[in-house]
Amino acid sequence: MRKMKGHSGLADATSISALVSTSTGSNDDVRFQWGIPEAVASSGSGNVYFQLEAPVSYEWVALGTGSQMRGSQMFVMYTDGDGNVTLSTREGTGHVLPEYTQQRDTELLAGSGVADGKMVANVRCGDCQNLDLAGTNSWIAAWKSGNAIDSANTSYAITQHDGTTRMRVRFAGAGISSDENPFLSDVTSSDNSGDNVDTQGGSGSNTDAIILAHGIIALVVFAFLYPIGSILMRLVGKWYIHSMTQNVGWLVMWAVFGLGYVAASRQAQPVLGWLHHRHFVAHQKRGIISHLHIWYGRILMALGVVNGGLGIKLAGSGTGFKIAYSVVAAVMFAAYIAFIALDI
């Protein structure tokens, strides 16, 4: 689904009973509207009409069905560089940037385009799923401020949002008598959003803060704390310093991975470390248990660094964070390998 110019098929003003609309965005300047044909609401299936409107100071704006990204049918709007807008239909798969997925019965309608510093997408969705067309439905929205994208590519790789919100929209208040485009400029509609849209606040701030904290803690544990603990053992030769550093890292690691993994794994590495120390004190050399302890730790570090890189990619983190993670991980890896090679 791409773009559409001009106006066609003008609806008569009397075809509008009501439209539901709400405003959100960084400066309350993103607007959404919904219209449901009365016959569609009665039958429980058919076309749903909605509009996305925002200043061109946004890179993109998106509206999606449901209360979360996973499983959401998403409609992303951005400028196409030719005075119009691109409508990219996407499927949410979790807290990852959604990719383009063609929807067979979605249409960008007349009246869509860019004018007076605003971009507008008038949309007809004939296959919007899991909606109660006569009841109240959850919707999500997201936006990203910045320079216009100016691309007609529906698969354009958008960057992570600045903010999000959740809404509960009462379709019973969005009735329109005709099954046709209700958003043309020639039509005057009533706005009764006060009783029909419940904006439930953004999910972006708390969720993004948690994800950022998760990433930073994982970076500290796997790319810094574990390697530095191993290096200190070889550098200062004090087992208790090594034990303290690694056990702090071990405890924080379970905070990162979660209580479920704790139950399955918390008996392993500390016990191996204690047995390794007891064996070394008694025999002044490494034994089988020593090598189990050492290689288990090395595997944990390697998997942790790989997991961190995958997490950064899936979270859609910025270039700066990716570079910082890569540099820290590479430096600590090089230092650790050097200490092993030199047998310090």
Side-chain angles (χ1 to χ4, degrees), residues 294-305:
I294 291 168
W295 281 103
Y296 180 55
R298 289 172 179 173
I299 290 170
L300 279 181
M301 283 190 285
L303 291 177
V305 171

Side-chain angles (χ1 to χ4, degrees), residues 258-337:
L259 295 177
Y261 197 58
V262 173
S265 305
R266 72 178 298 157
Q267 298 299 322
Q269 187 68 339
V271 173
L272 289 176
W274 179 76
L275 291 173
H276 158 61
H277 174 65
R278 289 292 302 271
H279 181 276
F280 192 86
V281 169
H283 303 283
Q284 292 300 305
K285 64 178 182 180
R286 293 173 179 173
I288 294 176
I289 197 68
S290 304
H291 291 290
L292 286 175
H293 169 70
I294 291 168
W295 281 103
Y296 180 55
R298 289 172 179 173
I299 290 170
L300 279 181
M301 283 190 285
L303 291 177
V305 171
V306 171
N307 178 74
L310 291 174
I312 289 173
K313 180 180 179 180
L314 290 174
S317 300
T319 302
F321 193 78
K322 292 178 181 177
I323 292 174
Y325 180 85
S326 300
V327 169
V328 172
V331 169
M332 294 307 300
F333 176 78
Y336 181 65
I337 293 299

Side-chain angles (χ1 to χ4, degrees), residues 49-72:
Y49 296 90
F50 49 88
Q51 180 188 76
L52 296 79
E53 178 184 304
V56 293
S57 56
Y58 288 88
E59 288 185 17
W60 58 266
V61 170
L63 182 66
T65 61
S67 59
Q68 60 181 355
M69 288 184 66
R70 185 175 297 278
S72 175

Side-chain angles (χ1 to χ4, degrees):
M1 181 56 57
R2 272 192 60 196
K3 58 186 180 179
M4 191 167 185
K5 284 186 177 182
H7 301 262
S8 62
L10 298 181
D12 191 289
T14 59
S15 68
I16 301 298
S17 297
L19 289 175
V20 167
S21 68
T22 189
S23 296
T24 183
S26 302
N27 300 299
D28 206 32
D29 50 4
V30 174
R31 188 172 187 237
F32 302 110
Q33 292 193 88
W34 293 264
I36 312 299
E38 294 172 355
V40 169
S42 299
S43 66
S45 64
N47 293 321
V48 175
Y49 296 90
F50 49 88
Q51 180 188 76
L52 296 79
E53 178 184 304
V56 293
S57 56
Y58 288 88
E59 288 185 17
W60 58 266
V61 170
L63 182 66
T65 61
S67 59
Q68 60 181 355
M69 288 184 66
R70 185 175 297 278
S72 175
Q73 287 179 275
M74 308 188 77
F75 307 85
V76 184
M77 172 184 68
Y78 44 88
T79 58
D80 74 346
D82 192 29
N84 296 286
V85 294
T86 296
L87 179 68
S88 176
T89 54
R90 307 192 177 204
E91 181 180 356
T93 56
H95 198 84
V96 262
L97 295 173
E99 297 183 354
Y100 172 70
T101 303
Q102 185 177 9
Q103 293 186 18
R104 60 178 178 82
D105 197 13
T106 298
E107 180 184 7
L108 191 62
L109 300 173
S112 302
V114 179
D116 301 324
K118 291 186 176 181
M119 49 182 171
V120 175
N122 297 327
V123 183
R124 179 190 65 81
C125 180
D127 65 345
C128 281
Q129 302 170 5
N130 302 318
L131 293 178
D132 180 355
L133 299 179
T136 300
N137 297 276
S138 296
W139 292 77
I140 57 175
W143 52 88
K144 170 67 175 178
S145 301
N147 297 325
I149 288 178
D150 289 343
S151 174
N153 180 11
T154 53
S155 298
Y156 185 90
I158 60 175
T159 53
Q160 190 174 8
H161 56 70
D162 288 331
T164 67
T165 192
R166 294 189 181 99
M167 299 162 286
R168 293 279 292 168
V169 182
R170 182 174 173 266
F171 278 3
I176 55 176
S177 32
S178 297
D179 192 350
E180 56 186 323
N181 184 358
F183 301 117
L184 299 177
S185 58
D186 306 72
V187 174
T188 301
S189 63
S190 61
D191 182 349
N192 61 351
S193 60
D195 296 327
N196 292 295
V197 179
D198 176 21
T199 301
Q200 298 175 327
S203 63
S205 57
N206 289 337
T207 302
D208 292 344
I210 292 170
I211 291 174
L212 180 61
H214 167 86
I216 292 174
I217 294 171
L219 168 63
V220 171
V221 171
F222 290 108
F224 181 77
L225 198 55
Y226 274 160
I228 203 68
S230 297
I231 290 172
L232 285 174
M233 180 62 191
R234 295 171 176 271
L235 192 62
V236 301
K238 303 295 185 181
W239 73 269
Y240 54 86
I241 294 179
H242 168 76
S243 177
M244 180 179 65
T245 306
Q246 302 304 72
N247 276 287
V248 169
W250 180 80
L251 290 172
V252 178
M253 178 184 70
W254 297 132
V256 174
F257 283 120
L259 295 177
Y261 197 58
V262 173
S265 305
R266 72 178 298 157
Q267 298 299 322
Q269 187 68 339
V271 173
L272 289 176
W274 179 76
L275 291 173
H276 158 61
H277 174 65
R278 289 292 302 271
H279 181 276
F280 192 86
V281 169
H283 303 283
Q284 292 300 305
K285 64 178 182 180
R286 293 173 179 173
I288 294 176
I289 197 68
S290 304
H291 291 290
L292 286 175
H293 169 70
I294 291 168
W295 281 103
Y296 180 55
R298 289 172 179 173
I299 290 170
L300 279 181
M301 283 190 285
L303 291 177
V305 171
V306 171
N307 178 74
L310 291 174
I312 289 173
K313 180 180 179 180
L314 290 174
S317 300
T319 302
F321 193 78
K322 292 178 181 177
I323 292 174
Y325 180 85
S326 300
V327 169
V328 172
V331 169
M332 294 307 300
F333 176 78
Y336 181 65
I337 293 299
F339 272 81
I340 292 176
L342 296 173
D343 196 26
I344 295 177

